[in-house]
Amino acid sequence: MAKEKIQSILISQPAPADLENSQYKNIIDKYGVKLTFNKFFDVVSISNREFRAQKINILDYTGVIMTSKLAVDNYFHFVSEMRIKIPDTMKFFCITDSIANYLQNYIQYRKRKIFYGKLTFDDLIDVINKHSEEKFLFPCAEDARQENFKKLDAKGINYTKAIMYKSTPKKDMKKEVNMKDFDMVVLFSPIGVRSFLQNFPETTSEDIRFAAFGKATIGALNRVRLKVSVTAPTIKCPSMVMALENYLASLENEE
């Protein structure tokens, strides 16, 4: 039976770069909970054969939509693999200025036409919409969020999805994680759920509580009949940190 008091939580993401100044720090201080961060999956480039099967000619496009450093890395990985010279006229549209600056690892920033939004994909769409005459390539993951594509479709943007990388469950996680040490596990994606099931098939919601972010993650847990105790985002708790705080507070009130 899952423990009533939550003392140790496994979070299936990499630890924040600065935990002391992160939102998670309040949970540690206020509720005395131990947080352990361990990403449940690896991100790898698809094979050259898989990329060619999409029949995408990178030079057919005049603009590239970049939403992450992974997208940047994999775009230039295939540019290198295919020995393509990107023309100076190619425009790059990045979700934030930090992603735009990251392009400097591959190109001379000052010689390029680079645009970026403030923070969200909606901000980026506003920028893209001002260049609607461009033909866009959108490097993305195999399990990329469909919401962004729907937003581009709604604006009538001429773009093509280019799957360049994918998530694969980690293997042999039992060597580094003893699930019996934890009272709760926090999952953020269906691939995280799949990794959990592959690595800890004997663990059930009778043994541990589950927190899930996003409808797809919640659905993946429901399909394998694992009870979800904490869900996000909600109107009251738009982030997982807020949802965890709310849940821990409710447990204290019950006591």
Side-chain angles (χ1 to χ4, degrees), residues 154-206:
K155 291 290 185 179
I157 303 299
N158 181 7
Y159 75 97
T160 298
K161 288 187 288 185
I163 296 173
M164 293 187 172
Y165 51 103
K166 58 186 176 182
S167 302
T168 59
K170 275 189 176 180
K171 296 179 180 179
D172 301 322
M173 285 193 67
K174 284 185 178 180
K175 293 180 179 178
E176 54 188 275
V177 174
N178 182 357
M179 200 56 67
K180 291 181 180 179
D181 292 340
F182 301 98
D183 307 312
M184 174 179 282
V185 59
V186 184
L187 299 164
F188 293 87
S189 65
I191 189 70
V193 175
R194 181 148 61 95
S195 180
F196 176 86
L197 293 171
Q198 289 181 13
N199 285 281
F200 310 102
E202 72 287 349
T203 304
T204 71
S205 42
E206 290 295 312

Side-chain angles (χ1 to χ4, degrees), residues 65-84:
I65 299 171
M66 296 295 195
T67 56
S68 68
K69 291 179 181 179
L70 279 170
V72 174
D73 289 338
N74 281 278
Y75 173 81
F76 285 101
H77 163 75
F78 283 106
V79 165
S80 175
E81 285 287 304
M82 302 173 79
R83 299 180 181 178
I84 294 171

Side-chain angles (χ1 to χ4, degrees), residues 11 13-29 33-37 241:
I11 298 174
Q13 284 187 331
D18 186 0
L19 182 59
E20 288 297 310
N21 291 309
S22 73
Q23 292 179 311
Y24 285 109
K25 186 63 166 59
N26 187 53
I27 293 177
I28 298 170
D29 292 342
V33 175
K34 179 184 177 183
L35 302 183
T36 300
F37 296 86
V241 172

Side-chain angles (χ1 to χ4, degrees), residues 101-118:
N101 288 327
Y102 188 71
L103 287 170
Q104 294 181 87
N105 290 306
Y106 297 97
I107 58 176
Q108 287 186 296
Y109 196 95
R110 60 185 177 81
K111 289 187 176 182
R112 299 288 181 169
K113 296 181 179 179
I114 299 172
F115 309 87
Y116 52 86
K118 295 178 181 177

Side-chain angles (χ1 to χ4, degrees), residues 213 218 230-240 242-243 246:
F213 187 88
I218 296 166
V230 181
T231 62
T234 64
I235 294 174
K236 185 177 180 181
C237 301
S239 72
M240 178 51 74
M242 292 176 68
N246 186 61

